[in-house]
Amino acid sequence: MKKYSYDISIEAASEAEADAKMKHLSVLAKKLSSKELTKLADIVQNDPVKTAIAKKALGV
């Protein structure tokens, strides 16, 4: 698969937290398809009940 580079900004309390968020976002991008990421983002943004259930299931 071809690689693409982007310049992005991440909101975080510290640079270390921003680095961690970027690392974890990279893992999600590698493991999930575009369709799956789209659905995940939609649920997180628009469905607080499903988001709360997912967080509880993940232990966070």
Side-chain angles (χ1 to χ4, degrees):
M1 214 183 301
K2 203 169 176 185
K3 290 187 178 186
Y4 298 92
S5 297
Y6 293 90
D7 291 324
I8 65 167
S9 297
I10 296 178
E11 292 183 25
S14 67
E15 187 173 356
E17 183 183 354
D19 289 342
K21 283 183 172 185
M22 191 62 230
K23 178 183 173 185
H24 304 305
L25 287 169
S26 175
V27 170
L28 291 174
K30 286 178 188 174
K31 299 289 183 175
L32 299 176
S33 70
S34 178
K35 183 179 178 181
E36 292 166 333
L37 284 170
T38 299
K39 183 64 175 176
L40 178 61
D42 181 62
I43 290 170
V44 170
Q45 189 170 25
N46 299 311
D47 196 335
V49 174
K50 284 184 183 176
T51 301
I53 292 168
K55 285 182 176 182
K56 186 175 181 182
L58 294 168
V60 293

